[in-house]
Amino acid sequence: MKILSLGCKTMREGVLASCIFFVAGIVMILAGTKIVPDMLYMQQIVMMLGLIMLLFAPIILISTFLLSVLPGAKEKLDKCEH
């Protein structure tokens, strides 16, 4: 299972992706309320996409954490330089 392989780089990428999704979700929600014009439900669409991104942030972070507690992951993560 190559997709479930965990290393130092994938841990960093998971946390970074989670942060990016969180910030982008907040920015999209604010843009939907303040910047996007109120035509053809564009405000609601942008705010919905922002909410989806905001909800994906903890999912990515939790899945990264769950991969790190799998059996055998401790040996791989002990080699990391923090």
Side-chain angles (χ1 to χ4, degrees), residues 3-19:
I3 196 163
L4 290 179
S5 67
L6 183 68
C8 303
K9 188 176 179 183
T10 53
M11 285 288 287
R12 287 188 203 112
E13 288 173 352
V15 173
L16 184 65
S18 178
C19 290

Side-chain angles (χ1 to χ4, degrees), residues 8-40:
C8 303
K9 188 176 179 183
T10 53
M11 285 288 287
R12 287 188 203 112
E13 288 173 352
V15 173
L16 184 65
S18 178
C19 290
I20 289 171
F21 269 61
F22 184 76
V23 171
I26 290 175
V27 168
M28 285 188 72
I29 290 173
L30 289 175
T33 58
K34 308 283 184 196
I35 298 172
V36 177
D38 191 17
M39 55 186 286
L40 297 174

Side-chain angles (χ1 to χ4, degrees), residues 14-72:
V15 173
L16 184 65
S18 178
C19 290
I20 289 171
F21 269 61
F22 184 76
V23 171
I26 290 175
V27 168
M28 285 188 72
I29 290 173
L30 289 175
T33 58
K34 308 283 184 196
I35 298 172
V36 177
D38 191 17
M39 55 186 286
L40 297 174
Y41 300 105
M42 285 304 292
Q43 284 184 338
Q44 288 83 2
I45 292 170
V46 171
M47 288 173 53
M48 171 99 123
L49 291 174
L51 181 65
I52 290 170
M53 290 180 82
L54 203 60
L55 291 175
F56 270 132
I59 292 172
I60 293 171
L61 198 59
I62 289 170
S63 65
T64 304
F65 168 73
L66 290 176
L67 281 176
S68 69
V69 296
L70 283 175

